[in-house]
Amino acid sequence: MAESTEEVAVLVQRVVKDINNAFKRNPHIDEIGLIPCPEARYNRSPIVLVENKLGVESWCVKFLLPYVHNKLLLYRQRKQRLNKDELIDVTCTLLLLNPDFTTAWNVRKELILSGTLNPIKDLHLGKLALTKFPKSPETWIHRRWVLQQLIQENSLPTFVKKENLATFPTERVQRIVQEEVEVCGEAAGRYPSNYNAWSHRIWVLQHLAKLDIKILLDELSSTKHWASMHVSDHSGFHYRQFLLKSLISQTVTDSAILEQSPLVSEHISDLPKDDNEEDTSAEHHRVVDLSHLLEEEVELSTDLIDNYPGHETLWCHRRHVFYLQHHLNNKLPHSQMRLSPVDSNGGTLNDLNLSPAVTHMTQAMDVDGLNDSNKQGYSQETKRLKRTPAQDSLGIEMEHRFIEQILSTCRNVEQARFANAYRKWLVTLSQ
Amino acid sequence: MKLYSLSVLYKGNSKAILLKAAYDVSSFSFFQRSSVQEFMTFTSQLIVERSEKGSRASVKEQEYLCHVYVRNDNLAGVVIADNEYPSRVAFTLLEKVLDEFSKQVDKIDWPVGSPATIHYAALDSYLSRYQNPREADPMTKVQAELDETKIILHNTMESLLERGEKLDDLVSKSEVLGTQSKAFYKTARKQNSCCDIM
């Protein structure tokens, strides 16, 4: 067993080299893991490569981690020099063992900024780290920094304007968004209610996709099945609430336009279309039928509540959707959600007339977004909701009937409790 | 919403004998899969050993729910699922599987069987189909025979054990678990699994 400092140094150098070689031998490694192995087998490397999975035997971690950790700190304190390759290998090893070691990510930031490290490598490294540490906050934070670097790189345009039509994301941005959505989806599957993964997904839609309507709609339909199979995943359902809210804020929903919508979509189909862009331009300009989307969401909620009794997440989701529906149905003057026209620059948070504190956070995390994060706004809206006329009470009546039906047939104690709580909430709304 | 294992066992006088099992460990990290599978076997056997004849129970352990049905003829089934999977569907599945198994495999083979000698091949496809509870059994809402109030709920594995018995001891003595699995158990027990590095 390696115990003396020299032996440890030799072991560590060998392990770092083995990890590096493993990546060279197999550039398609897609998962890392720890192999519980309390004792070293004589003279065998603790690095195991099976198919596309990289494993580290647990016995070596207690030697490896403090050593490389210390090495990096000494470099940072300028007590030890490390050349760029050594830095890359050391930080890579460190981050695969502990991706929440911010200093290691920061060293890599410096390497990226000086042009010595390709930022794509960090996206790859982060993706690997997330297979073992799907929540790792520092990994997600660094990822956002890297994405911002990539987007600004070469000052390439990220959005294109087509004739008089709205802007929509370039293919490059679409690919990046697609990849991020996949990484988030995987991480969400590895840990229940993975807030960090879902917040990242929201950030990507806000800052990379700029809440592009087609992408929002695609996300809504592609997460439907996932949500149905993860009925206690609060974060997953919160994401759907975000999508619906964003669709509302990104679409013209003036009551006049809503009534005309069949005419508007016909008119759009008569517009001259580019040969290549036929579908995209039409899709980017369809008027989103918000009422229909919300109705579908209510149906989904009903279906899931009926089939999977006793999940609070589903009831919380129902409250949110009901709330959104009634905003729309009553066509209330939206002082909190001033709706940006379809052809604006992707609809930034600035368009939504939010409080100054929120608009400064364009690059920061604003997971709740829109008006819900503003507590004042919430109570203003609820007050307005409480004053609304008979239109609203029809919806509330239907909800009460739904609750009755649940209570009369359910055999699950929790389900009854949630149904009763929902009923109480509805009653406070109409007071 | 996941199913991880589906097993058929025979409740002998002192031990539970595994007759056939199907596993889906694809959602676990690659290097944990074999240990997880061994643990599910260990758990299924332990649960059947500690359950009464003619009973149904759901045992909660962390984010897993183990549903067990021990018939009066000592044939038993265990489904290990997550906490989103509807238990009603799990019990429907157990009922169905044990019924089919008892018709296909001779009673005389049960007390001395093992997965190698028992001829029953349907478990894998049941496990796979029932991953989506609604596709598998559209009639799940109508469950006339099953009285949910008779299902015993255990909040931990520990509550199945005798006074003074420790799960740690049972794990280290187990013949079903390999050294790697036992090491895995030790580290998992020590750590809060959400922030572990080791």
Side-chain angles (χ1 to χ4, degrees):
Chain A
M1 292 283 281
E3 269 171 34
S4 74
T5 348
E6 297 85 47
E7 283 176 327
V8 173
V10 165
L11 166 71
V12 169
Q13 283 188 26
R14 185 185 165 188
V15 172
V16 173
K17 195 158 78 79
D18 286 347
I19 293 177
N20 195 22
N21 287 338
F23 281 113
K24 288 209 182 97
R25 267 207 323 268
N26 185 346
H28 301 293
I29 291 178
D30 60 11
E31 191 181 318
I32 55 164
L34 195 70
I35 303 170
C37 186
E39 271 163 36
R41 290 166 299 167
Y42 184 69
N43 219 20
R44 293 258 294 266
S45 171
I47 304 304
V48 174
L49 187 56
V50 178
E51 294 165 28
N52 291 330
K53 324 289 178 189
L54 182 68
V56 177
E57 287 180 354
S58 61
W59 63 264
C60 79
V61 178
K62 62 181 175 289
F63 299 114
L64 185 59
L65 189 53
Y67 188 91
V68 280
H69 183 262
N70 200 44
K71 200 166 184 186
L72 194 69
L73 288 181
L74 287 174
Y75 161 77
R76 258 305 202 229
Q77 293 162 355
R78 299 183 199 284
K79 290 180 188 159
Q80 183 175 59
R81 283 182 189 271
L82 288 173
N83 68 38
K84 79 159 186 163
D85 285 322
E86 284 172 311
L87 275 177
I88 291 176
D89 287 346
V90 163
T91 51
C92 177
T93 305
L94 264 170
L95 291 165
L96 289 176
L97 293 171
N98 178 15
D100 281 318
F101 186 29
T102 322
T103 306
W105 285 122
N106 287 344
V107 167
R108 291 180 81 97
K109 284 188 180 71
E110 288 170 5
L111 291 169
I112 290 173
L113 289 172
S114 67
T116 9
L117 178 61
N118 183 348
I120 304 273
K121 292 247 155 99
D122 273 21
L123 289 182
H124 181 64
L125 181 59
K127 188 176 182 179
L128 271 182
L130 290 169
T131 59
K132 184 165 184 283
F133 304 94
K135 296 192 302 174
S136 168
E138 293 302 316
T139 306
W140 292 109
I141 290 169
H142 182 76
R143 200 176 183 82
R144 287 189 278 280
W145 182 89
V146 171
L147 289 167
Q148 280 167 342
Q149 294 300 115
L150 282 177
I151 293 297
Q152 290 161 21
E153 183 178 79
N154 302 331
S155 345
L156 279 177
T158 52
F159 276 72
V160 285
K161 242 181 161 68
K162 268 273 149 199
E163 296 167 4
N164 296 329
L165 312 179
T167 56
F168 56 93
T170 57
E171 234 192 84
R172 180 169 171 263
V173 166
Q174 284 184 55
R175 269 185 281 123
I176 293 176
V177 168
Q178 211 27 60
E179 168 71 2
E180 290 309 296
V181 154
E182 264 175 51
V183 171
C184 292
E186 254 199 53
R190 288 182 194 269
Y191 191 86
S193 278
N194 190 338
Y195 178 82
N196 295 343
W198 289 102
S199 316
H200 183 80
R201 200 164 174 161
I202 287 176
W203 183 92
V204 166
L205 288 214
Q206 285 171 330
H207 300 289
L208 300 183
K210 308 280 191 211
L211 299 181
D212 174 71
I213 291 182
K214 178 176 184 299
I215 292 180
L216 288 172
L217 290 169
D218 285 345
E219 281 288 277
L220 195 63
S221 76
S222 69
T223 53
K224 187 172 184 178
H225 178 76
W226 196 95
S228 309
M229 296 296 282
H230 293 83
V231 291
S232 258
D233 199 307
H234 265 287
S235 303
F237 279 93
H238 173 264
Y239 184 67
R240 293 185 73 77
Q241 291 150 27
F242 157 78
L243 292 172
L244 291 166
K245 277 187 259 182
S246 303
L247 281 164
I248 291 173
S249 73
Q250 296 300 98
T251 316
V252 181
T253 54
D254 185 77
S255 52
I257 303 288
L258 260 185
E259 276 145 29
Q260 283 171 35
S261 63
L263 293 173
V264 175
S265 39
E266 272 173 48
H267 176 65
I268 281 173
S269 64
D270 292 338
L271 286 171
K273 287 181 205 147
D274 224 75
D275 280 330
N276 304 332
E277 308 290 351
E278 253 185 41
D279 282 0
T280 29
S281 55
E283 275 163 351
H284 277 92
H285 295 91
R286 64 182 147 188
V287 173
V288 178
D289 188 346
L290 291 167
S291 315
H292 179 66
L293 282 178
L294 288 170
E295 263 160 34
E296 279 190 341
E297 199 70 15
V298 172
E299 269 172 44
L300 175 67
S301 162
T302 305
D303 183 44
L304 294 175
I305 287 176
D306 274 339
N307 279 289
Y308 306 116
H311 290 278
E312 189 166 26
T313 306
L314 298 175
W315 289 94
C316 285
H317 186 62
R318 198 178 183 86
R319 292 189 196 193
H320 276 96
V321 180
F322 176 83
Y323 197 75
L324 289 174
Q325 247 188 342
H326 285 259
H327 260 307
L328 213 58
N329 288 344
N330 298 311
K331 300 179 184 115
L332 297 165
H334 302 280
S335 74
Q336 287 306 122
M337 297 199 299
R338 195 195 304 141
L339 303 155
S340 43
V342 172
D343 66 2
S344 77
N345 231 0
T348 60
L349 288 175
N350 289 316
D351 291 348
L352 295 170
N353 194 29
L354 294 170
S355 66
V358 178
T359 51
H360 287 158
M361 295 183 344
T362 41
Q363 299 302 317
M365 297 300 295
D366 186 17
V367 170
D368 281 322
L370 310 179
N371 65 335
D372 263 20
S373 57
N374 183 338
K375 213 174 160 197
Q376 261 194 346
Y378 176 80
S379 52
Q380 277 178 17
E381 285 305 326
T382 15
K383 282 186 196 143
R384 203 173 279 122
L385 205 56
K386 288 173 185 176
R387 289 198 295 268
T388 54
Q391 261 176 336
D392 212 35
S393 48
L394 179 62
I396 293 184
E397 218 184 275
M398 280 175 56
E399 287 300 287
H400 279 290
R401 267 185 264 137
F402 169 69
I403 296 168
E404 274 312 312
Q405 179 243 311
I406 295 283
L407 286 173
S408 61
T409 55
C410 85
R411 296 192 254 177
N412 181 308
V413 171
E414 300 271 276
Q415 182 88 322
R417 189 159 63 86
F418 299 142
N420 277 309
Y422 183 58
R423 178 156 56 188
K424 283 197 190 124
W425 179 80
L426 281 175
V427 166
T428 62
L429 275 192
S430 48
Q431 268 162 8
Chain B
M1 190 170 303
K2 293 196 189 77
L3 288 181
Y4 301 116
S5 80
L6 175 59
S7 350
V8 179
L9 304 101
Y10 177 75
K11 184 176 166 69
N13 286 328
S14 55
K15 274 177 52 174
I17 298 164
L18 180 69
L19 298 177
K20 210 71 171 175
Y23 304 95
D24 184 347
V25 289
S26 57
S27 58
F28 291 93
S29 317
F30 181 80
F31 294 101
Q32 292 180 338
R33 287 174 195 172
S34 60
S35 295
V36 168
Q37 189 163 313
E38 280 179 11
F39 260 100
M40 296 200 290
T41 309
F42 168 79
T43 305
S44 302
Q45 278 179 287
L46 182 60
I47 290 181
V48 170
E49 275 163 27
R50 303 311 163 94
S51 295
E52 298 284 310
K53 239 167 50 161
S55 73
R56 287 181 174 86
S58 295
V59 185
K60 192 166 169 351
E61 181 63 31
Q62 294 162 51
E63 65 271 28
Y64 305 105
L65 262 180
C66 309
H67 307 287
V68 58
Y69 173 32
V70 182
R71 296 187 348 170
N72 283 312
D73 58 4
N74 287 329
L75 192 64
V78 178
V79 162
I80 300 184
D82 69 2
N83 53 24
E84 285 180 348
Y85 197 89
S87 62
R88 198 184 285 187
V89 180
F91 283 107
T92 306
L93 174 60
L94 283 173
E95 181 104 35
K96 207 173 182 159
V97 164
L98 293 185
D99 187 49
E100 202 181 88
F101 185 92
S102 62
K103 294 186 176 125
Q104 284 185 26
V105 180
D106 243 342
K107 205 167 185 170
I108 216 163
D109 295 331
W110 301 351
V112 294
S114 78
T117 61
I118 296 286
H119 295 296
Y120 179 69
L123 283 183
D124 281 299
S125 89
Y126 270 122
L127 188 65
S128 156
R129 262 198 304 143
Y130 272 74
Q131 287 294 355
N132 185 337
R134 285 195 282 171
E135 264 173 43
D137 195 340
M139 297 303 288
T140 54
K141 284 173 80 171
V142 182
Q143 256 276 254
E145 291 133 56
L146 186 61
D147 184 354
E148 280 180 38
T149 59
K150 296 243 179 71
I151 299 176
I152 307 163
L153 288 168
H154 292 275
N155 274 318
T156 57
M157 280 283 282
E158 236 86 46
S159 64
L160 284 172
L161 305 179
E162 311 276 318
R163 196 135 64 101
E165 257 192 319
K166 295 267 181 250
L167 197 56
D168 291 3
D169 296 333
L170 292 173
V171 168
S172 46
K173 279 189 280 177
S174 166
E175 290 159 4
V176 166
L177 298 170
T179 20
Q180 195 174 99
S181 300
K182 291 183 184 174
F184 173 61
Y185 174 80
K186 266 215 177 91
T187 47
R189 259 326 216 215
K190 260 192 273 172
Q191 240 84 31
N192 170 0
S193 66
C194 92
C195 331
D196 76 289
I197 294 164
M198 306 286 250

